[in-house]
Amino acid sequence: MTKQRKKTKNKKLVSMRRFKTRREMNIGILIFALVFVYLIVTIWMYATSKKISVYEVREGSIVKDNSYTGLVLREEMVVPAETSGYVSYFQNEGSKVKAGSSVYALSPDKLTLENEEETPETALNNEELRSLTLSIQNFNENFNSQKFSSVYSLKNEYSTLLQTASNRSKTAQINEQIAASGGGAAAYPALRDGIIVRTFDGYEEVTEDTLKSSDFDRSHYESHSLEDQMEVAAGEPVYKLVTDETWNVYVELSDATAKELADTEQIKTRIDKDSETIWADFSILQKDGTYFGKLTYTDSMIRYCEDRYLHIELIMEDESGLKIPKSAVVEKPFYMIPKEYLTSSGSGSSTGIMIQKDGEITYQDITVYAESEDGYVYVNPNELDKHTVLVKPESTETFRPNEKRTLQGVYNINKGYAVFEQVHILCENDDYYIVEENTAYGLKNYDHIVQDGTTVEEDEVVFQ
């Protein structure tokens, strides 16, 4: 009885061991393992694969300029008061006057002028209204937000017309006051044609011959303005007359900049006061070991007649085109073959050359990358054997390509593989080039190129 129980017990133990060692496959663990392996492989492939960055070509511009504080010198004469008294001006500052026209009046007492209400004399006449209407119409039709300085031109023209009307009214009032004074007040005319300025700073006598570096130091600069109804003494300045439309701005130059601009005769400038861009005649002076740039303007003087110093930019380069990173540009050698050796396939859909080999002449497609001014085309050396002999179409003349020239270009990847395209560089800054747009065999706006041209080879497949 005891032996039978032991046998039964042993059978159960064996049965239980066999049951415990029998395991079913867990599908969840298998899927997790597969995903884990996939992630590891993907990470490894990404870490070891070539990194190619893509750049989208866009239109842009590069402006290279240097900013300066310029000293303004012009032909100007200070006019002293004839007698003592209170000064009344017929003309506003910045007004043009003719020789003999009344500029100011002096009186023992202040003159009473009524400015509160508009009189018939202050209204614009028909000719002035017509001129203003045409100016506004022309401005509306031709306004360009990229040339905002045209707003200032319209503003100046509008202000001039209003000043003219205001001066008519003011002149009539002053003349009435002079007539009523019984000889106590007198009017004084302009000595020459010019522009009225009522600001003085002591630099009126500075000339190009006396120019020095200390003239550019603004730390102690002072200017004084004369106002209507101020009391002046005989012999004191009463107004200043600018007598020439030509004016000069002088800037101090470093030795490097002076050398760079040594052959420059005209230069584009931007005046910060109103962002106006003006061309100026340019020359360089050297005085006491210091270089000065001389900018000569023949217009717009009235706009800056009150200024002694102007913040001004010399625009060394200002180019627009396609903007690309410098890192994208590479150099590639090409064979040069005469353009007349090119022909086309029978269907005319491709360009090629005729090759002579083993006594036979065969046609081969060829890719043209650029054309030179001397009648040659650039072709890829990889498309020609070392000893290739070309045959001129409809002729027995032959040519062996051996001369190589280098082109600058980028790799275009619009088609999914790298295609070399020539670029014509117009200007540059530290990081970008501006290249010519719409050239044969060249880039176009929105093309995609390799940002670092050294990371790919010609015809290499590139996934964007």
Side-chain angles (χ1 to χ4, degrees):
M1 186 73 179
T2 305
K3 288 182 180 180
Q4 189 174 359
R5 287 181 179 176
K6 285 183 178 179
K7 287 181 180 180
T8 304
K9 187 176 181 181
N10 289 337
K11 286 181 180 181
K12 288 182 178 180
L13 289 173
V14 170
S15 177
M16 289 176 67
R17 288 194 188 104
R18 288 177 180 175
F19 177 78
K20 288 180 179 179
T21 57
R22 189 182 300 155
R23 296 179 180 272
E24 295 183 3
M25 181 179 294
N26 190 324
I27 194 70
I29 294 176
L30 178 62
I31 293 174
F32 175 80
L34 291 175
V35 171
F36 181 75
V37 171
Y38 172 78
L39 289 175
I40 294 297
V41 172
T42 301
I43 293 172
W44 181 82
M45 291 180 61
Y46 176 80
T48 58
S49 64
K50 182 187 291 186
K51 304 297 187 301
I52 297 177
S53 299
V54 179
Y55 178 86
E56 184 178 73
V57 177
R58 299 298 297 271
E59 293 178 341
S61 63
I62 288 177
V63 177
K64 291 178 65 177
D65 57 15
N66 291 335
S67 297
Y68 300 91
T69 297
L71 176 68
V72 182
L73 299 182
R74 53 178 82 84
E75 288 191 17
E76 50 193 357
M77 57 183 295
V78 177
V79 180
E82 295 283 344
T83 62
S84 299
Y86 291 92
V87 61
S88 300
Y89 291 99
F90 288 90
Q91 311 288 343
N92 293 324
E93 187 162 29
S95 298
K96 291 184 177 181
V97 295
K98 294 182 179 180
S101 60
S102 297
V103 176
Y104 71 99
L106 287 172
S107 59
D109 301 305
K110 292 183 179 181
L111 300 182
T112 304
L113 303 179
E114 297 179 0
N115 294 321
E116 290 78 15
E117 295 183 2
E118 184 179 298
T119 63
E121 290 80 7
T122 62
L124 298 176
N125 58 37
N126 291 334
E127 184 178 349
E128 290 166 340
L129 284 172
R130 185 162 51 252
S131 175
L132 182 60
T133 301
L134 289 174
S135 297
I136 295 174
Q137 182 179 353
N138 183 64
F139 173 81
N140 288 334
E141 293 175 353
N142 300 286
F143 177 70
N144 184 346
S145 59
Q146 301 297 320
K147 297 181 179 179
F148 191 75
S149 58
S150 60
V151 175
Y152 295 100
S153 299
L154 179 67
K155 171 180 173 287
N156 291 332
E157 187 173 351
Y158 186 75
S159 298
T160 299
L161 286 172
L162 292 180
Q163 282 184 4
T164 301
S166 176
N167 288 340
R168 283 200 303 268
S169 173
K170 194 174 184 181
T171 298
Q173 293 184 57
I174 293 175
N175 285 333
E176 289 179 4
Q177 295 282 325
I178 291 174
S181 68
Y188 298 90
L191 304 178
R192 294 174 56 181
D193 293 352
I195 296 173
I196 299 296
V197 178
R198 303 202 313 242
T199 303
F200 307 88
D201 55 14
Y203 282 71
E204 287 77 18
E205 301 301 323
V206 176
T207 65
E208 185 176 302
D209 294 333
T210 63
L211 185 67
K212 53 188 181 298
S213 293
S214 59
D215 293 330
F216 294 84
D217 182 6
R218 302 185 60 185
S219 59
H220 302 294
Y221 176 76
E222 292 183 358
S223 61
H224 306 279
S225 298
L226 293 173
E227 303 293 339
D228 248 335
Q229 306 300 320
M230 282 183 64
E231 187 175 11
V232 296
E236 289 183 348
V238 70
Y239 72 94
K240 186 166 63 178
L241 194 64
V242 180
T243 57
D244 199 326
E245 289 287 342
T246 300
W247 53 294
N248 301 306
V249 180
Y250 296 85
V251 296
E252 282 191 280
L253 302 175
S254 66
D255 292 352
T257 304
K259 184 177 181 180
E260 183 180 357
L261 298 176
D263 298 324
T264 303
E265 296 181 352
Q266 285 193 320
I267 194 167
K268 193 176 184 180
T269 66
R270 181 180 293 109
I271 299 176
D272 287 356
K273 181 180 179 180
D274 53 11
S275 298
E276 182 73 3
T277 300
I278 313 176
W279 282 91
D281 293 333
F282 182 79
S283 58
I284 295 177
L285 312 173
Q286 186 176 15
K287 298 170 70 67
D288 300 325
T290 301
Y291 290 101
F292 297 97
K294 178 183 179 181
L295 304 165
T296 301
Y297 301 94
T298 56
D299 57 16
S300 303
M301 189 274 296
I302 192 170
R303 189 179 304 170
Y304 311 105
C305 63
E306 305 167 31
D307 298 294
R308 181 62 63 192
Y309 293 97
L310 288 172
H311 290 288
I312 195 165
E313 298 173 34
L314 304 187
I315 301 175
M316 323 287 272
E317 287 184 288
D318 186 3
E319 294 286 355
S320 298
L322 299 177
K323 192 172 184 178
I324 62 173
K326 281 187 170 182
S327 59
V329 178
V330 295
E331 292 187 348
K332 185 178 175 65
F334 291 87
Y335 273 138
M336 307 298 297
I337 65 173
K339 188 176 180 180
E340 58 265 25
Y341 277 78
L342 295 180
T343 184
S344 59
S345 62
S347 62
S349 59
S350 62
T351 300
I353 50 177
M354 305 302 295
I355 296 178
Q356 179 179 289
K357 188 175 182 180
D358 299 329
E360 295 184 0
I361 298 176
T362 58
Y363 171 84
Q364 176 183 317
D365 286 336
I366 199 79
T367 304
V368 176
Y369 287 83
E371 295 183 17
S372 67
E373 295 180 355
D374 55 357
Y376 285 77
V377 294
Y378 294 76
V379 298
N380 193 335
N382 297 333
E383 296 184 10
L384 300 176
D385 293 334
K386 186 175 182 181
H387 303 292
T388 300
V389 178
L390 308 183
V391 180
K392 187 176 181 179
E394 301 180 1
S395 172
T396 59
E397 294 183 35
T398 60
F399 178 82
R400 290 179 180 271
N402 51 32
E403 180 189 359
K404 286 186 179 181
R405 296 183 193 174
T406 301
L407 284 179
Q408 287 185 312
V410 298
Y411 286 112
N412 188 321
I413 55 173
N414 288 346
K415 298 179 180 179
Y417 57 91
V419 178
F420 182 90
E421 289 189 351
Q422 180 192 17
V423 294
H424 295 281
I425 297 173
L426 300 176
C427 69
E428 63 183 280
N429 60 17
D430 292 339
D431 300 311
Y432 292 93
Y433 288 123
I434 293 297
V435 300
E436 193 172 348
E437 188 176 8
N438 297 324
T439 59
Y441 312 105
L443 288 174
K444 297 178 178 59
N445 200 22
Y446 301 111
D447 277 351
H448 290 84
I449 63 175
V450 177
Q451 186 159 349
D452 185 352
T454 61
T455 60
V456 299
E457 299 292 337
E458 181 89 10
D459 295 328
E460 182 179 341
V461 175
V462 178
F463 296 100
Q464 300 185 43

